[in-house]
């Protein structure tokens, strides 16, 4: 069984906030299951 993050996951929301605030870049988002993919999709749809 693998973990699957969604746009509503708390960890996704945290990383999106950190990237949007400039604390981290998209490249620094951990490659944890599909976390980086979901965060990238949200950031790309906002920017």
């Amino acid at each position: 069984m693998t973990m699957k993050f969604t746009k509503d996951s708390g960890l996704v929301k945290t990383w999106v906030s950190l990237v949007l605030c400039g604390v981290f870049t998209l490249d620094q988002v951990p490659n944890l299951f599909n976390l980086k993919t979901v965060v990238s999709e949200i950031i790309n749809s906002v920017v």
Side-chain angles (χ1 to χ4, degrees):
M1 184 174 151
T2 60
M3 178 97 177
K4 186 163 184 165
F5 293 103
T6 67
K7 63 178 181 158
D8 297 320
S9 300
L11 193 58
V12 170
K13 291 179 179 182
T14 300
W15 274 102
V16 168
S17 296
L18 291 170
V19 172
L20 288 176
C21 291
V23 176
F24 291 98
T25 66
L26 274 176
D27 290 334
Q28 293 174 299
V29 177
N31 207 2
L32 179 68
F33 302 108
N34 67 328
L35 176 64
K36 194 172 203 171
T37 303
V38 176
V39 171
S40 295
E41 288 172 0
I42 294 170
I43 296 293
N44 290 332
S45 70
V46 172
V47 177

